[in-house]
Amino acid sequence: MLKAGGALFTGDLIFKGSIGRTDLPGGNLIHMKKSLSGLKKMDRKLVLYPGHGENTTLGEELKTNFYLKDGFLKEEGKVIREKGDLF
């Protein structure tokens, strides 16, 4: 991700209504969930510019994107953490 002013360039982390894939080589669901959890702490007014597809705002995605909901981001009631986490 790259933040510049009110813009966040997210690459393939998050798209309007979805997220990037973790089932391809180099993909990691734990890292994806940690990155998405970090997004939730950012300014809701940020305009998200994904690697492809439509732009959106963080606020809109927090309201509508299943993958930013606690049910997806938590496993057995606990946020997934790994040694060395930054979030």
Side-chain angles (χ1 to χ4, degrees):
M1 290 186 298
L2 175 68
K3 185 177 178 294
L8 185 67
F9 298 89
T10 62
D12 286 349
L13 172 64
I14 187 167
F15 305 107
K16 186 172 185 173
S18 190
I19 60 171
R21 295 178 59 176
T22 59
D23 61 328
L24 299 173
N28 185 305
L29 184 59
I30 292 172
H31 291 164
M32 174 67 79
K33 288 183 177 187
K34 288 187 331 185
S35 295
L36 293 170
S37 292
L39 273 181
K40 292 180 75 167
K41 300 173 185 175
M42 299 179 107
D43 185 352
R44 294 173 177 263
K45 295 178 186 175
L46 283 171
V47 177
L48 305 182
Y49 294 94
H52 47 88
E54 295 180 52
N55 301 339
T56 186
T57 64
L58 181 55
E60 184 63 23
E61 294 309 302
L62 288 170
K63 288 184 213 171
T64 63
N65 192 325
F66 165 79
Y67 298 102
L68 289 175
K69 305 293 181 196
D70 286 342
F72 175 75
L73 296 175
K74 292 183 180 181
E75 187 174 276
E76 297 180 12
K78 296 181 181 178
V79 175
I80 296 174
R81 301 273 188 222
E82 282 188 350
K83 187 175 181 178
D85 281 353
L86 299 175
F87 299 111

